[in-house]
Amino acid sequence: MAVIGGDGIGPEVTQIALDVVAAAGVSLDTTPYDLGADRYRRTGDVLSDSDVAELRRADAILLGAVGPPVGDASIPIGTLERGLLLRLRFELDLFANVRPFRAVPGSIGEGADFVVVRENTEGAYAGEGGLLRKGTRHEIATQGSVNTRMGVERCVRFGFDLARQRGTTLTLVHKSNVLTYSGDLWRRTFGDVAAEYPDIPTDYQHVDAACIYMVERPGGYGVIVTDNLFGDILTDLAGAVCGGIGFAASANLHPGQTSLFEPVHGAAHDIAGKGIANPLAAITSAAMMLEHLGEPDAAARIHKAVSDFVDHNSQSAPLSTAEVGKAIAERL
């Protein structure tokens, strides 16, 4: 497998996650990759074609975080996100971004346990658009949302399979009353696929309403399926509602192929090197990676160890990054 520690707290939490995987009894053949802000400053290169070719041969990729410090003018805004994260999602066709949320005791979402499936290769992040008359008072910017029947259907079907596996409702979130073309495609596709899953209860919510319900009654969700942009926004909200973004893990999946696993949080340069970063999102991401690699027992034990730790320590004094990793490892 490939390991991209990345920037800021990324290398710290990634190492803790690997230590926990080892404690769970799984031996990984890892190859580190120097990708992120430091490499870009040295070489002007974000992700080369040869890097992509090598990463494509890995069974899985574990990534910490990428991004420059806030206000760092040496790296144009979005360079690393588009050039590394989005490129890998598109190049490897990682169409399902799976983000589980189990609310921390004492959080406003206490009792919630749901998963968001975000379409990961289309929508507003596909890069369709452009600028005309840039730098003038008549400048025009367009940014399109690209949605294909194939792309929507495979994501929706993934959501139905996951809802069946979890025994929960599947909720489609979009904005079909205003986005009448893309929203129509999503709703029609969702309805067509739903006919093949008569055992799965379904629901639809406009994204603005979903933001309200996620705060007021997050326990009402089982699995949510949504498009790229709405999924990005909703999962940050879900992280805040369920105890903090430091608990939010994710998997960028193409079942049966090379997939990428990463915590939802960013590089957090302001706390890098202080030993206070929360490694639980990285640990949970690593557990999701083990599921992908065919190690479900080890993954289940890590998930349980994390849940037990959170349930018994959410109100206690903060622990260091290393102490959290040690506590999880001891439970294994």
Side-chain angles (χ1 to χ4, degrees):
M1 55 165 290
V3 178
I4 304 172
D7 305 313
I9 64 171
E12 300 173 48
V13 297
T14 300
Q15 185 57 57
I16 296 295
L18 292 173
D19 292 343
V20 168
V21 168
V26 178
S27 177
L28 298 173
D29 181 7
T30 61
T31 300
Y33 283 83
D34 174 25
L35 298 170
D38 288 342
R39 169 167 163 176
Y40 179 81
R41 291 191 194 95
R42 291 196 315 269
T43 67
D45 186 26
V46 178
L47 183 69
S48 68
D49 291 343
S50 61
D51 290 329
V52 173
E54 289 182 28
L55 292 169
R56 194 186 299 277
R57 291 195 292 269
D59 292 313
I61 305 165
L62 184 64
L63 186 146
V66 295
V70 175
D72 184 350
S74 67
I75 302 179
I77 294 174
T79 297
L80 298 176
E81 293 84 353
R82 291 194 308 271
L84 203 164
L85 290 178
L86 292 188
R87 185 180 178 193
L88 283 176
R89 289 171 183 172
F90 296 153
E91 291 268 6
L92 302 179
D93 197 24
L94 305 177
F95 68 88
N97 188 292
V98 181
R99 298 185 171 187
F101 296 92
R102 179 179 178 271
V104 174
S107 67
I108 63 173
E110 185 167 5
D113 186 357
F114 61 92
V115 180
V116 178
V117 179
R118 165 192 173 192
E119 199 291 315
N120 211 29
T121 61
E122 297 186 349
Y125 292 7
E128 191 275 333
L131 293 171
L132 291 173
R133 308 187 187 106
K134 184 177 181 180
T136 75
R137 62 189 301 268
H138 300 290
E139 183 170 346
I140 301 170
T142 63
Q143 191 81 54
S145 177
V146 178
N147 300 266
T148 68
R149 172 70 190 220
M150 182 274 290
V152 173
E153 182 172 335
R154 65 180 179 177
C155 183
V156 166
R157 193 175 298 280
F158 187 100
F160 272 103
D161 288 336
L162 184 58
R164 176 176 282 172
Q165 176 187 326
R166 291 172 58 89
T168 61
T169 298
L170 180 65
T171 301
L172 170 63
V173 173
H174 210 279
K175 188 66 176 172
S176 60
N177 59 337
V178 176
L179 303 178
T180 52
Y181 302 121
S182 60
D184 179 61
L185 173 59
W186 273 86
R187 292 197 73 165
R188 282 188 291 107
T189 304
F190 187 83
D192 291 346
V193 177
E196 303 176 30
Y197 295 80
D199 55 314
I200 306 300
T202 62
D203 190 15
Y204 171 82
Q205 293 174 2
H206 293 323
V207 65
D208 46 347
C211 289
I212 296 172
Y213 300 145
M214 187 166 286
V215 173
E216 293 183 342
R217 49 180 178 86
Y221 292 115
V223 176
I224 295 171
V225 64
T226 188
D227 88 336
N228 208 336
L229 176 59
F230 295 148
D232 195 2
I233 296 168
L234 275 178
T235 51
D236 276 8
L237 176 61
V241 166
C242 291
I245 204 72
F247 295 94
S250 77
N252 300 268
L253 293 174
H254 191 128
Q257 298 185 25
T258 303
S259 295
L260 185 152
F261 304 82
E262 58 174 328
V264 175
H265 62 68
H269 288 272
D270 56 325
I271 61 171
K274 297 181 179 180
I276 59 174
N278 182 351
L280 291 178
I283 292 171
T284 302
S285 298
M288 297 173 76
M289 179 186 70
L290 293 183
E291 294 167 356
H292 173 75
L293 293 174
E295 297 283 352
D297 293 340
R301 289 193 295 115
I302 292 175
H303 284 306
K304 185 177 186 304
V306 170
S307 296
D308 290 347
F309 172 81
V310 171
D311 288 346
H312 291 92
N313 292 272
S314 60
Q315 306 302 318
S316 64
L319 300 176
S320 71
T321 306
E323 288 170 336
V324 173
K326 181 180 179 182
I328 301 298
E330 287 174 347
R331 281 171 165 75
L332 294 168

